[in-house]
Amino acid sequence: TSKFKHTTTMPLVSYSCSAPAPGILALKILAKVQDTSVEFAENAETPSLKVVTTNPVTGTSTTATSVSWVECTKSLSQLVPSLSLWEGASVESWVESAVSSILPVIGSSSDDSGKSAVEEFISKLEKHLSESKNTYVTGTFSAADVCLTVWLAQAMAKCGLTDPGEGVSKWSASVLKSLKTYDETSIAPLLAVVGNAESVEASGELTDNPLVKKLQEFGLEFDVYSHAACMTAEELVTNVALPSEKETHTKNLFFKDKKHGLFLVTHATSSTFNTKQLGSLLKLEGKVNLRLADAATLDKHLAVKPGCVGPLCIVNDESKEVKLVLDKALTDGTYEYVHSHPLRNDASVKVKPAALMEYLNKAGIEPVVVDFSSGSEADKGGKAPANRPPESKGKEKQPKQQQQKQANQNKKT
């Protein structure tokens, strides 16, 4: 029997990009968001991206080259197609607009050059964000958000601008805070340019939000941002896209059981949840009859309305009658950030798993952490009887009929 032995160490695809600084920073962030290795060089006068694809069998290679800001950005945005960072004509349109209006400014040797162009671009963007009411420029997180926030902050710093307007300030602070996890050294100064992110995102009514105040009281690191109102987790996933697969919204269900009490179940939107298996996962003894609680019960114990529930509201349970059940995926590093509502469904709080657990600990809450993935096989077994074809009942009775017939024959003999 012959065996293949893979000996080559060369990658099938390699990427190298050269472009002028500081514009190249946005391209570097795009690569990091997609967790893809790209060799960058900042000594070029014009941008270019070289993609070398090597045949692992023959050793031959082909090279594709992009030679403009827009083309380089487009190619780097499609390293991981499933992320859809370059989806729709509007993404390219906004990047083209930034390339023509903003990049000449940050590449200029004069600090005052292009100030009016930057102000005009900010005005255009402010109007768009105000009219569209989108969380992100094109509706969902895209390469346009990465490039526009980075390049605009760089241009503002260059021109000495400090107030981009409420809409642009909130949007850019929100995006840059998400991008800071990929390059804190480079992004932190840009956040300072667009405004204090904490005060920008926690402005207005959110400043007085009880849960926001509680997070501040506990001295925890967090972000809070506004978005379109979403009644369900499904709406959140669709309308409030997150910049990375390492971040998640939460789905929250409030159950009651006459014997076992009240349970607030919080799990990642991607986790599989089966109510029938919850009793066994929680090791509840005896008869289990978990049912979704009504709005009155929810308000009485957690002081929150349907569609606005999140794990943070457990602090409202002064009588300690509600048991918080947390998805293990929200605590074990599966996700770098967890997003949940602060008693209202037009805003979300973003925290690291460790900060979430510290919040609960300081509030005197001991959650039950459940691995919902461990119940996947049990779920299948639990559903089988309900899915069994009706005719199978006849097949189950057949052996008894045959046994009775045989018994009758035996009596006769």
Side-chain angles (χ1 to χ4, degrees):
T1 303
S2 62
K3 293 183 178 179
F4 258 93
K5 185 177 181 181
H6 184 69
T7 57
T8 180
T9 58
M10 68 178 74
L12 291 176
V13 183
S14 63
Y15 306 91
S16 58
C17 178
S18 58
I24 196 173
L25 175 60
L27 305 186
K28 290 180 177 179
I29 298 297
L30 277 173
K32 290 180 179 180
V33 167
Q34 298 167 90
D35 195 23
T36 302
S37 177
V38 178
E39 183 180 344
F40 285 98
E42 300 180 3
N43 56 356
E45 294 184 3
T46 58
S48 79
L49 173 68
K50 184 181 294 184
V51 182
V52 179
T53 305
T54 303
N55 187 313
V57 177
T58 65
T60 58
S61 61
T62 57
T63 302
T65 305
S66 302
V67 291
S68 71
W69 278 109
V70 174
E71 288 303 312
C72 287
T73 304
K74 181 177 182 178
S75 297
L76 282 171
S77 301
Q78 297 174 324
L79 300 177
V80 181
S82 61
L83 293 180
S84 303
L85 293 178
W86 196 274
E87 191 170 89
S90 59
V91 175
E92 185 162 344
S93 176
W94 276 107
V95 172
E96 285 180 342
S97 179
V99 166
S100 61
S101 303
I102 305 300
L103 280 181
V105 177
I106 63 178
S108 172
S109 58
S110 172
D111 291 344
D112 296 327
S113 176
K115 184 176 181 179
S116 60
V118 176
E119 291 176 329
E120 184 178 340
F121 185 84
I122 290 175
S123 177
K124 173 184 174 182
L125 186 55
E126 180 76 21
K127 180 181 179 182
H128 169 74
L129 291 171
S130 176
E131 292 177 349
S132 67
K133 300 188 183 303
N134 288 334
T135 302
Y136 300 107
V137 171
T138 62
T140 59
F141 181 77
S142 71
D145 295 289
V146 176
C147 294
L148 268 61
T149 52
V150 172
W151 291 340
L152 182 57
Q154 290 175 325
M156 287 175 60
K158 182 89 171 181
C159 300
L161 297 172
T162 57
D163 184 13
E166 183 180 0
V168 172
S169 186
K170 286 183 177 181
W171 158 77
S172 56
S174 175
V175 173
L176 287 172
K177 278 210 157 188
S178 297
L179 300 181
K180 191 170 69 170
T181 60
Y182 301 100
D183 190 340
E184 184 168 1
T185 302
S186 300
I187 297 299
L190 302 183
L191 267 169
V193 172
V194 299
N196 184 285
E198 296 289 353
S199 61
V200 168
E201 294 178 1
S203 63
E205 296 179 15
L206 291 177
T207 305
D208 297 324
N209 184 281
L211 298 189
V212 170
K213 284 186 174 181
K214 185 64 70 174
L215 286 161
Q216 293 171 337
E217 176 189 328
F218 290 161
L220 301 175
E221 183 177 343
F222 70 97
D223 296 333
V224 55
Y225 58 95
S226 300
H227 54 69
C230 299
M231 280 297 294
T232 66
E234 290 72 24
E235 286 182 40
L236 268 174
V237 171
T238 301
N239 300 327
V240 188
L242 299 178
S244 167
E245 293 180 351
K246 296 294 288 182
E247 300 186 27
T248 183
H249 290 296
T250 61
K251 186 167 184 175
N252 303 272
L253 300 166
F254 189 46
F255 292 103
K256 64 178 180 179
D257 182 285
K258 289 184 178 180
K259 178 181 178 181
H260 301 287
L262 300 165
F263 300 87
L264 173 58
V265 179
T266 297
H267 65 87
T269 50
S270 62
S271 294
T272 301
F273 176 77
N274 188 330
T275 307
K276 294 180 180 179
Q277 294 301 316
L278 184 58
S280 60
L281 289 172
L282 294 176
K283 296 181 173 55
L284 301 181
E285 297 180 356
K287 184 179 180 181
V288 178
N289 187 26
L290 290 165
R291 293 288 183 267
L292 288 173
D294 57 21
T297 305
L298 181 63
D299 180 64
K300 176 183 177 181
H301 291 276
L302 297 179
V304 63
K305 295 180 179 180
C308 304
V309 185
L312 300 179
C313 73
I314 192 68
V315 297
N316 290 342
D317 177 34
E318 297 179 356
S319 62
K320 304 296 185 194
E321 293 182 53
V322 181
K323 176 64 71 175
L324 176 62
V325 181
L326 276 185
D327 183 355
K328 183 173 179 286
L330 300 176
T331 68
D332 65 1
T334 299
Y335 298 100
E336 294 175 355
Y337 289 96
V338 178
H339 298 243
S340 67
H341 291 318
L343 303 178
R344 49 191 295 172
N345 60 13
D346 61 350
S348 287
V349 168
K350 170 184 173 182
V351 295
K352 292 183 177 180
L356 173 60
M357 297 305 288
E358 187 176 353
Y359 171 90
L360 298 173
N361 181 57
K362 289 186 174 183
I365 306 296
E366 186 177 352
V368 176
V369 179
V370 172
D371 184 359
F372 287 119
S373 64
S374 67
S376 58
E377 291 301 317
D379 290 347
K380 294 176 184 178
K383 294 179 181 178
N387 294 335
R388 183 179 295 140
E391 59 268 26
S392 65
K393 295 181 180 179
K395 292 180 180 179
E396 289 176 355
K397 293 179 180 180
Q398 188 174 0
K400 294 182 180 179
Q401 294 172 349
Q402 290 177 343
Q403 290 174 5
Q404 185 62 44
K405 184 177 180 180
Q406 184 64 44
N408 292 337
Q409 289 177 347
N410 291 339
K411 288 180 181 180
K412 292 178 182 180
T413 56

